[in-house]
């Protein structure tokens, strides 16, 4: 076994690998960029090496620099995690050439499955069913359009080197094909350095079911059963589970057999995943699944497989890479119960799931779940990397038990300081179809309005927020004491762009009245039972409420976050001296909705534009977004160029209204 390994990654996956290595007595070397100097994975590792500036192309994608770090520190092997260089065969060759072990498959296997078009041809030859489509090399737009017409709409355009939904576009009509093709190719080039696409028939009511396989250097390949990853948003997985609901023994046997056959066809070693698209329109059947792609690496959602099999996939990777054979045979791998994983992201659900960046003022996870994370309170979510906060994983003897645990764990998770998808995940965990196991990749889109509905704080929540931000000390008997009358505080706060103005009146025996300023009507009366820096317990009309709270400051603004009954509400007390940027508030300006990089500027000074016309494309956290003209008019000023890194709120372009 290795005595020291280098982890060519960051965030939660680097931390997760370190956990297993530490348990096995293996020393670890972390690598980090300028943005990750104080990151959790750096602090956890035995050693750490700086590899460059924050952008991934200057740090985590610099294979030569990472290999030098391994040689310098005496690391015998490199674990790539997922993403970054994990599926780069040239990096694997360079690692081998440096006489370092790559903890993963061979470069030959990665090349065989790395391009979707070639992989589908290989799988078809191996007898694995594939989705109808065009997987050839002709990239002429007119030819591809004609192929799409032959296949029949709707179709999926997919970057052949893609993954994680990047470079993928669903096209429902012929008129939309050309613009979708252009966008998919450009995103494929930006993300993977390869603009080549393939076209596939879009399966209606599709389910995304994948099989975890594992091979060693002695020709042994086993499957570790399947995972259902159908709950997706923009082709990004949101909640995964294992095993797949509704799958029968015959279907499972057919699918796992096809997955093992696919892995053996390329002599696969280490952890890998065979992904299938499944027709979920009329029950699951053994002839209703098709090969989609293979991920030649450890998957983000591998913890659910670990939960139901009791295996540590990272440990298996390390042992196989060190030359061991698999320590078990297929019939020794059994399914135990059910597991879920929810991906907790820093993203603004109400604004179309835009990635968010900023400082995580407070992070608190539930003891009810396994929480894989690479960050903690006080850490930053930067625009340079994936905005994942954590993976919340639960396991139970039945699907209902595991799902109840997931719901409970999410309701106890407290995130403050940045916007997250926590409430969205909670709503999804309670969706009737999901609870019943009736899942497909369109479930989220069909229920989007209900899933993204934002709850408004009631009077009790507002009162708790005001008590917290005032830092009232109810252990002090003099709190609220006045010789004449009652002590009171006039407080103005904002939440979700709504203003809350109330007078907080302190009465005897820790009793609080929240009064309307207009008519002095009591909105709610609370009896404070306990109050400290972590939370508050109150009685309202004889009912007890317990809330977790967190206060922090941004600039001159005070913020307070309240977690109560599984819902999180954030309030801000604005700086009264701060002035709004009038230009940014103008209806005639295009403002960067998030920090990111300008990828395309289609506007020119003085040009006349129509409302809704695309003028700028911005990319942040691996997602591309088009910004359109807010009105008819003439372009007055362009404040950005292609390649510029811009902060959220920056005015990128202004338009002179000619009406």
């Amino acid at each position: 076994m290795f005595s020291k390994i280098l982890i060519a990654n960051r965030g939660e996956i680097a931390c997760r690998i370190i956990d297993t290595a530490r348990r096995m007595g293996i020393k670890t070397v972390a690598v980090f960029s300028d943005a990750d100097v104080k990151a959790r994975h750096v602090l956890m590792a035995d050693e750490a090496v700086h590899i460059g500036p924050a952008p991934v192309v200057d740090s985590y994608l610099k294979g030569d620099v990472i290999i030098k770090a391994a040689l310098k520190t005496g690391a015998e092997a490199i674990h790539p995690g997922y993403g970054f260089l994990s599926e780069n065969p040239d990096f694997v060759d360079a690692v081998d050439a440096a006489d370092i072990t790559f903890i993963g498959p061979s470069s030959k296997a990665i090349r065989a499955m790395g391009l979707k078009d070639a992989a589908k041809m290989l799988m078809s030859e191996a007898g694995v069913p594939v989705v109808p489509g065009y997987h050839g090399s002709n990239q002429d737009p007119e030819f591809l359009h004609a192929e799409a017409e032959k296949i029949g709409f709707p179709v999926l355009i997919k970057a052949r080197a893609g993954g994680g939904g990047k470079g993928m576009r669903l096209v429902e009509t012929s008129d939309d094909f050309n613009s979708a093709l252009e966008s998919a190719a450009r995103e494929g080039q930006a993300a993977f350095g390869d603009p080549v696409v393939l076209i596939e028939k879009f399966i209606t009511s599709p389910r995304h079911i994948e099989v975890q396989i594992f091979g060693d250097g002695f020709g042994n390949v086993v499957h570790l059963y399947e995972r259902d990853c159908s709950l997706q948003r923009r082709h990004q997985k949101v909640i995964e589970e294992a095993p797949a609901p509704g799958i029968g023994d015959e279907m499972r046997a057919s699918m796992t057999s096809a997955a093992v056959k696919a892995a053996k066809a390329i002599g696969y070693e280490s952890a890998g995943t065979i992904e299938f698209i499944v027709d979920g329109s009329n029950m699951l059947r053994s002839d209703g699944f098709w090969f989609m792609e293979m991920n030649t690496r450890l998957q983000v959602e591998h913890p659910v497989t670990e939960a139901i099999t009791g295996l540590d996939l990272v440990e298996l990777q390390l042992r196989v890479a060190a030359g061991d054979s698999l320590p078990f045979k297929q019939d020794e791998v059994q399914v135990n119960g059910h597991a879920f994983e929810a991906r907790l992201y820093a993203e603004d659900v109400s604004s179309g799931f835009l990635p968010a960046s900023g400082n995580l003022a407070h992070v608190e996870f539930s003891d009810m779940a396994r929480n894989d994370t690479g960050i903690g309170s006080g850490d930053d979510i930067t625009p340079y990397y994936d905005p994942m906060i954590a993976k919340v994983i639960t396991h139970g003897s039945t699907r209902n038990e595991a799902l109840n645990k997931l719901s409970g764990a999410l309701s106890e998770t407290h995130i403050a300081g940045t916007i997250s998808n926590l409430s969205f995940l909670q709503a999804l965990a309670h969706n009737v179809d999901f609870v019943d196991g009736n899942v497909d990749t369109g479930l989220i889109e069909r229920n989007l309005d209900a899933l993204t509905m934002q709850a408004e704080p009631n009077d009790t929540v507002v009162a708790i927020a005001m008590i917290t931000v005032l830092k009232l000390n109810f252990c002090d008997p003099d709190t609220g004491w006045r010789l004449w009358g009652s002590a009171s505080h006039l407080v103005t706060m904002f939440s979700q762009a709504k203003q809350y103005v109330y007078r907080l009146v302190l009465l005897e025996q820790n009793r609080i009245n929240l009064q309307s300023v207009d008519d002095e009507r009591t909105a709610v009366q609370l009896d404070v039972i306990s109050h400290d820096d972590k939370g508050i317990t109150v009685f309202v009309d004889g009912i007890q409420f317990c809330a977790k709270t967190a206060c922090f400051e941004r600039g001159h603004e005070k913020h307070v976050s309240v977690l109560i009954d599984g819902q999180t509400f954030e309030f801000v007390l604005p700086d009264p001296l701060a002035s709004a940027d009038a230009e940014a508030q103008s209806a005639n300006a295009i403002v960067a909705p998030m920090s990111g990089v300008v990828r395309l500027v289609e506007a020119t000074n003085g040009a006349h534009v129509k409302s809704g016309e695309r003028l700028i494309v911005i990319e942040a956290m691996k997602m591309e977004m088009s910004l359109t003209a807010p009105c008819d008019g003439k372009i007055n000023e362009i404040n950005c160029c292609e390649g510029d890194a811009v902060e959220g709120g920056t005015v990128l372009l202004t338009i002179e209204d000619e009406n």
Side-chain angles (χ1 to χ4, degrees):
M1 180 47 63
F2 311 112
S3 60
K4 182 188 290 187
I5 65 171
L6 181 143
I7 302 163
N9 217 298
R10 65 176 301 280
E12 65 86 14
I13 186 57
C15 296
R16 186 261 170 276
I17 295 167
I18 291 172
D19 281 337
T20 289
R22 180 181 292 168
R23 180 176 56 78
M24 296 176 67
I26 302 171
K27 292 188 178 299
T28 55
V29 180
V31 294
F32 63 94
S33 70
D34 289 348
D36 283 339
V37 172
K38 298 180 181 180
R40 183 169 180 260
H41 76 281
V42 175
L43 300 176
M44 286 180 64
D46 297 291
E47 300 174 63
V49 180
H50 177 254
I51 55 172
V56 293
V57 295
D58 298 322
S59 53
Y60 295 104
L61 291 181
K62 300 287 281 189
D64 57 336
V65 176
I66 290 172
I67 291 171
K68 287 179 182 177
L71 293 171
K72 179 180 178 181
T73 57
E76 301 155 283
I78 294 177
H79 196 307
Y82 49 71
F84 295 145
L85 295 169
S86 62
E87 294 180 283
N88 185 320
D90 294 334
F91 177 65
V92 179
D93 287 338
V95 172
D96 291 340
D99 199 24
I100 301 171
T101 300
F102 180 77
I103 303 171
S106 66
S107 60
K108 180 181 177 182
I110 294 175
R111 285 191 175 94
M113 305 304 281
L115 298 179
K116 290 183 173 64
D117 50 358
K120 289 179 187 295
M121 293 179 185
L122 180 62
M123 291 298 99
S124 182
E125 293 171 1
V128 178
V130 299
V131 180
Y134 176 73
H135 309 132
S137 59
N138 191 335
Q139 295 294 294
D140 177 72
E142 290 187 7
F143 174 81
L144 292 175
H145 198 161
E147 288 298 309
E149 295 281 5
K150 289 180 187 177
I151 297 167
F153 291 93
V155 299
L156 273 179
I157 300 175
K158 303 169 73 173
R160 70 172 180 177
K166 291 173 284 294
M168 185 183 296
R169 299 292 184 273
L170 171 62
V171 188
E172 304 204 39
T173 66
S174 179
D175 291 342
D176 296 332
F177 183 84
N178 289 335
S179 60
L181 173 63
E182 176 189 344
S183 180
R186 184 173 60 250
E187 194 167 275
Q189 176 65 44
F192 312 106
D194 186 349
V196 177
V197 302
L198 53 86
I199 304 170
E200 291 180 348
K201 178 66 179 174
F202 180 73
I203 307 299
T204 56
S205 299
R207 285 179 63 175
H208 181 162
I209 299 178
E210 60 191 29
V211 176
Q212 176 72 60
I213 58 92
F214 216 106
D216 62 22
F218 301 90
N220 302 307
V221 178
V222 298
H223 70 79
L224 305 180
Y225 296 94
E226 79 285 346
R227 301 184 287 253
D228 195 305
C229 307
S230 300
L231 289 189
Q232 300 180 5
R233 170 73 178 157
R234 291 177 178 161
H235 307 292
Q236 287 279 13
K237 299 165 187 174
V238 178
I239 296 181
E240 302 97 348
E241 62 180 298
I247 191 169
D249 292 340
E250 183 180 353
M251 170 94 174
R252 173 175 287 133
S254 296
M255 186 174 286
T256 54
S257 175
V260 170
K261 186 186 299 183
K264 286 186 173 181
I266 59 171
Y268 194 81
E269 299 177 33
S270 195
T273 305
I274 309 296
E275 301 197 357
F276 295 101
I277 192 76
V278 179
D279 183 359
S281 60
N282 184 24
M283 304 293 287
L284 298 184
R285 59 188 192 279
S286 57
D287 64 345
F289 68 91
W290 300 271
F291 173 83
M292 186 164 58
E293 63 183 355
M294 181 178 188
N295 289 297
T296 52
R297 54 171 168 79
L298 193 67
Q299 284 279 80
V300 177
E301 58 273 20
H302 75 273
V304 294
T305 295
E306 294 183 325
I308 66 167
T309 62
L311 298 170
D312 183 328
L313 269 62
V314 173
E315 178 181 347
L316 287 176
Q317 284 188 301
L318 291 168
R319 295 197 181 283
V320 167
D324 291 352
S325 62
L326 285 171
F328 51 79
K329 298 186 182 301
Q330 184 65 71
D331 59 6
E332 296 178 273
V333 183
Q334 302 295 324
V335 172
N336 174 26
H338 207 96
F340 287 93
E341 174 184 288
R343 301 190 187 189
L344 179 58
Y345 280 102
E347 59 185 11
D348 188 349
V349 173
S350 64
S351 297
F353 294 83
L354 288 180
S357 58
N359 183 264
L360 279 168
H362 180 77
V363 181
E364 184 179 353
F365 298 113
S366 169
D367 293 335
M368 200 180 299
R370 164 182 165 180
N371 302 287
D372 284 12
T373 185
I375 58 176
S377 297
D379 289 340
D380 291 327
I381 300 289
T382 76
Y384 300 106
Y385 314 119
D386 187 272
M388 180 181 285
I389 296 173
K391 301 184 306 193
V392 180
I393 305 117
T394 58
H395 176 252
S397 58
T398 65
R399 186 176 187 271
N400 283 343
E401 180 183 329
L403 187 54
N404 286 338
K405 285 184 178 180
L406 179 67
S407 177
L410 292 172
S411 71
E412 292 181 357
T413 300
H414 192 189
I415 304 295
T418 188
I419 298 171
S420 78
N421 67 338
L422 182 57
S423 294
F424 168 71
L425 293 175
Q426 290 171 310
L428 192 52
H430 289 95
N431 175 268
V432 174
D433 284 333
F434 180 45
V435 170
D436 291 341
N438 300 323
V439 296
D440 62 62
T441 58
L443 185 149
I444 289 178
E445 205 64 41
R446 290 193 302 273
N447 297 275
L448 197 57
D449 289 343
L451 293 173
T452 57
M453 187 178 299
Q454 289 184 300
E456 288 194 4
N458 58 28
D459 292 335
T460 298
V461 176
V462 173
I464 289 173
M466 291 183 173
I467 292 169
T468 302
V469 80
L470 290 172
K471 298 182 179 180
L472 298 177
N473 181 9
F474 292 97
C475 294
D476 184 350
D478 293 332
T479 293
W481 185 88
R482 294 294 186 275
L483 183 59
W484 302 107
S486 300
S488 67
H489 299 269
L490 181 64
V491 184
T492 300
M493 300 192 307
F494 290 86
S495 179
Q496 301 175 19
K498 184 176 180 180
Q499 185 181 48
Y500 296 87
V501 183
Y502 286 96
R503 186 174 300 280
L504 209 64
V505 182
L506 283 65
L507 305 175
E508 72 285 349
Q509 298 178 335
N510 294 347
R511 181 162 291 174
I512 302 286
N513 272 3
L514 185 72
Q515 290 185 350
S516 168
V517 175
D518 295 331
D519 55 11
E520 297 186 354
R521 175 186 60 85
T522 297
V524 67
Q525 186 175 91
L526 306 89
D527 291 302
V528 180
I529 306 304
S530 65
H531 181 214
D532 57 29
D533 292 340
K534 295 183 179 180
I536 183 171
T537 300
V538 299
F539 268 112
V540 179
D541 294 333
I543 300 174
Q544 179 174 293
F545 294 91
C546 297
K548 293 181 180 180
T549 58
C551 286
F552 57 97
E553 293 187 1
R554 290 280 163 79
H556 297 290
E557 294 180 340
K558 293 182 179 179
H559 294 250
V560 59
S561 177
V562 178
L563 172 62
I564 184 169
D565 286 342
Q567 293 287 327
T568 302
F569 303 92
E570 193 159 307
F571 300 83
V572 59
L573 278 74
D575 178 7
L577 301 179
S579 59
D581 185 334
E583 186 178 33
Q585 298 299 322
S586 168
N588 296 346
I590 290 182
V591 179
M594 54 191 169
S595 298
V597 177
V598 176
R599 290 299 180 200
L600 186 67
V601 178
E602 296 184 313
T604 55
N605 278 321
H608 294 269
V609 295
K610 294 289 186 182
S611 177
E613 182 179 339
R614 188 179 74 176
L615 301 179
I616 294 174
V617 174
I618 188 171
E619 180 190 351
M621 297 176 180
K622 306 178 183 180
M623 188 183 75
E624 189 179 274
M625 180 181 181
S626 296
L627 306 180
T628 60
C631 60
D632 294 348
K634 184 175 74 173
I635 294 176
N636 183 42
E637 185 177 12
I638 301 174
N639 302 319
C640 63
C641 299
E642 292 180 8
D644 284 356
V646 295
E647 295 287 333
T650 301
V651 177
L652 305 177
L653 178 151
T654 57
I655 297 174
E656 181 182 341
D657 193 339
E658 296 181 319
N659 294 330

